Amino acid sequence: MSFFGSLGKKIGGAVHSLGQKARNVVKKGVKAAVKNAGKIADVAGSVKKVADTVSKVAGVVGSGAATLAAGAAMVGLEPVAAGLAGVAAAGKGVQGLATGVSSVAGKVETGARAADTTAKTIKAGMDAKKHGESAIDSMRKGNIMDAISEGKEAVKDVKTAKGGAESLRKQIQRTK
């Protein structure tokens, strides 16, 4: 094997190893995000509410300062009017920033809720499969009562998964 051939194999092996490590990190990150999607959605919802409130308060402060600046200018207090105009501009800037934060938090909340619904739907589907297999095994062993109870559990899990899938479909349609 030539020098460049062995060098290429070593580089390829190192790149493959890094790719595998990156894949594992992403897998763990996605798993943690899905596992905590409900909490993420709750926090994003709280951030959205706070940002909405800040936006409203900043808008009121900006409008009030602008009105006071106009009044100060009318009576000849230009330095005061200039300061109040600065406060009004800052209030409007904060209002714009808070509105942007609220918008982003709303999108994060929507995505996290969809991820949470997806995780719950997949879990219900997996549980239905497990109960169905258990029911079949119980029937093969002749335990009819166990098979019936496992079958009922499987049906319940299928209904849960179906409800989750319908909810997810509606969330996707709302997003579109």
Side-chain angles (χ1 to χ4, degrees):
M1 184 177 291
S2 71
F3 170 75
F4 291 109
S6 64
L7 180 64
K9 282 191 174 202
K10 287 183 181 183
I11 291 173
V15 168
H16 177 73
S17 175
L18 287 173
Q20 292 298 315
K21 288 177 183 173
R23 183 178 64 101
N24 287 337
V25 167
V26 168
K27 244 170 101 175
K28 288 177 183 174
V30 167
K31 187 176 180 181
V34 168
K35 183 179 176 184
N36 297 313
K39 293 175 189 171
I40 293 168
D42 292 342
V43 169
S46 297
V47 168
K48 184 179 184 314
K49 288 177 187 173
V50 169
D52 285 341
T53 303
V54 167
S55 175
K56 289 175 186 171
V57 169
V60 169
V61 168
S63 298
T67 303
L68 290 174
M74 284 183 197
V75 295
L77 298 171
E78 284 80 15
V80 174
L84 290 172
V87 171
K92 290 297 179 182
V94 169
Q95 181 183 19
L97 179 64
T99 300
V101 169
S102 173
S103 174
V104 170
K107 289 179 176 143
V108 169
E109 180 182 20
T110 301
R113 293 259 180 246
D116 189 43
T117 302
T118 302
K120 288 177 181 174
T121 301
I122 289 171
K123 183 183 180 313
M126 297 300 282
D127 287 347
K129 179 182 178 280
K130 184 180 77 172
H131 286 297
E133 288 172 349
S134 180
I136 291 170
D137 288 343
S138 294
M139 287 174 59
R140 287 180 181 152
K141 292 176 184 174
N143 298 332
I144 302 299
M145 295 308 291
D146 287 345
I148 290 172
S149 71
E150 288 293 335
K152 287 179 181 178
E153 288 294 318
V155 169
K156 186 175 84 171
D157 288 336
V158 166
K159 287 180 180 176
T160 302
K162 180 182 175 223
E166 288 174 357
S167 173
L168 187 60
R169 181 180 59 86
K170 288 177 185 175
Q171 287 177 356
I172 291 169
Q173 287 175 343
R174 272 187 238 122
T175 303
K176 287 182 180 178

